[in-house]
Amino acid sequence: MGIALCFVPLILAIVIFSTAFKLRLTHQLIAVLLGLAAVLPISFIQYFMPAIPGLPLSPVVRALLKSILLYGLVEEAIKTLALLPLTHKPYDEANCDNPATGRLNFLLLAFTAGLSLGCFESVVYYFDHLQIANSRGATLLYGQIAVRIFTSDVIHMMCTGLCGLFIYSCRNKPVRISCLIAAVLLHGIYDFFAGFSGDIRWFSVAVVLMAIIECRIKYTSLKTDENATN
């Protein structure tokens, strides 16, 4: 039952994108597979990536750098590469009757890939922390698991969306490297706060909200560039 719940956000997203936005199901399934394909290289690199050298930094700064480099940079770089084979020609400005619709649909495909990766990660997190909760006999940990799963899915969705906007801008000009930088920083800062066990972990929710706003801002800026060009 727990595993099925982890994939509910992905299923709901596919249903909404298919019905409300008429996004092709085949394209969404490709996005799901690309999201899953990114899991293995991400896990491999993060497992074997060397520790940050012993620089004269405080533990907090070292933890922040680790989160940005190990989780933010590695994950978003691999997710960006995973999105490259994603179907894009029907959504590019040169081939789309309505560029705004094409850009939105490509963003939705990036969201789908991010949710796919996030939901799979949620399954791993669920089992890991479920064992901790059972061993301690502390059912209070279940609430923490639920919050982590929900916020993790959203941060993966938004950051992958930013990566998708970066790829879209590369293909349709002008290039927006700021989309990729924002994805790396937001993901890293989210993992930094989410790694705490105390109340400070709730700052991760604020980062999720920032990611949603940032994704909206970047999407709107591409629309503004398009209108200025026309």
Side-chain angles (χ1 to χ4, degrees), residues 21 32 35 42 53 58 66 101 121 131 151 155 159-160 162 166 177-178 182 184 186 190 210 216 221:
F21 298 94
V32 169
I42 287 174
S58 67
K66 179 181 178 181
T101 301
E121 185 181 84
Q131 290 179 349
T151 56
I155 198 71
C159 288
T160 310
L162 287 168
F166 166 68
I177 187 66
S178 60
V184 171
L186 287 167
Y190 163 81
M210 289 176 58
R216 175 63 182 176
S221 68

Side-chain angles (χ1 to χ4, degrees), residues 60-71:
V60 174
V61 175
R62 286 176 62 86
L64 179 59
L65 286 176
K66 179 181 178 181
S67 295
I68 292 177
L69 295 176
L70 186 60
Y71 301 109

